[in-house]
Amino acid sequence: MPLQPSKWHFEIDEYLNPWLPAAPWKHLPYPVAHFLGHRPQPQRPLGNIVMVFWAFIGVFCSITIIEAVSHAISSFQAHGAPIIIGSFGAAAVLEFYAIESPLAQPRNAVLGQILSSVVGIAISKLFALGPVSRELTWLGGSLACACAVAVMALTGTVHPPAGATALLAVVDEGIVQLGWFLLPIILLGCVLMQCVALLLNNIQRRFPIYWWTPAEVGRHEQQPQNQQNHSDSESDTGAKLERTRTRHLEEGKVVVEEAKLVIKRGHVLVPDNVYLTPEEKMFLEELSERLQ
């Protein structure tokens, strides 16, 4: 049988999601769950002026806090670390304005930066072994950014500003000299920005839309009799929302089926390649309950 690389498909969540715990919202006090992004009811739409206002406040506060904390840490100063890594400016745009984008969710914002930092530092170290490393910096920067994109895509952690982090780790002399010390700097910046985002973005808006993935997690721990009570949106409508695969193996071949959204009474089937917001999921579940 001839190989068909154009049909190869790898989805890391198929292997990780069954082992991840379900959302703990029912075990948390509502005020805590609220500022972690949980909403029992759909979020009311807001005008763009309010969104711009909170984006302005969020970007200003997060960048200021990261800079102030970095400046106050003596070890950062001892290593000659910059007051902030430039890619956090782009990250702030996602985290405080485009907060509903999958690229802005915590998994992408944190893991994307960490993985890209590792890739960038590793390639920087690799190129430094050569006798003409300075002359090949342009090539190392291109390779670091390309590898970072590939790693993020395969791990479901795509975060555009992280591509800049990988590039800076190779081409910016001030960051190159940090070496592996860049990792705690990036991690601290990510954590601080996420803390500010959780606080400010949940005053009138909602963040995050999901922590890991919009798909169901923890299926290996669920008993058949309990599956009816755990939908993707965890609503109280009683309807069941399931993900259906659009790809499967048939006689050694990858078969791609036509994506279909099926709504039955108390049951909603959603293709695994379709992203739904929690509001859309809740609407579909309520609609399925109306069917006779």
Side-chain angles (χ1 to χ4, degrees), residues 7 245-257:
K7 293 186 178 181
R245 295 189 177 185
T246 55
R247 295 171 178 262
H248 65 275
L249 289 175
E250 187 175 294
E251 296 181 356
K253 299 181 180 180
V254 177
V255 179
V256 181
E257 298 178 349

Side-chain angles (χ1 to χ4, degrees), residues 168-221:
L168 291 171
V170 179
V171 303
D172 189 309
E173 287 295 332
I175 297 179
V176 170
Q177 56 92 20
L178 292 174
W180 293 107
F181 194 75
L182 176 62
L183 279 178
I185 296 175
I186 290 293
L187 180 58
L188 177 63
C190 290
V191 171
L192 291 175
M193 184 167 287
Q194 288 299 305
C195 290
V196 176
L198 290 173
L199 178 62
L200 296 181
N201 288 347
N202 283 301
I203 295 177
Q204 283 189 290
R205 299 179 293 172
R206 178 190 179 188
F207 178 83
I209 302 302
Y210 55 84
W211 280 87
W212 180 259
T213 174
E216 186 180 6
V217 297
R219 274 178 275 183
H220 79 290
E221 295 178 348

Side-chain angles (χ1 to χ4, degrees), residues 222-271:
Q222 297 179 4
Q223 299 298 326
Q225 61 269 26
N226 293 331
Q227 290 180 352
Q228 187 72 21
N229 299 324
H230 291 82
S231 67
D232 277 2
S233 64
E234 298 185 4
S235 67
D236 297 328
T237 61
K240 183 179 181 181
L241 191 149
E242 291 185 352
R243 294 275 170 178
T244 59
R245 295 189 177 185
T246 55
R247 295 171 178 262
H248 65 275
L249 289 175
E250 187 175 294
E251 296 181 356
K253 299 181 180 180
V254 177
V255 179
V256 181
E257 298 178 349
E258 181 182 358
K260 295 180 180 180
L261 179 65
V262 180
I263 303 178
K264 302 178 181 179
R265 178 171 175 78
H267 205 82
V268 181
L269 297 177
V270 181

Side-chain angles (χ1 to χ4, degrees), residues 151-167:
V151 170
M152 289 189 290
L154 289 174
T155 57
T157 59
V158 175
H159 187 62
T165 302
L167 181 61

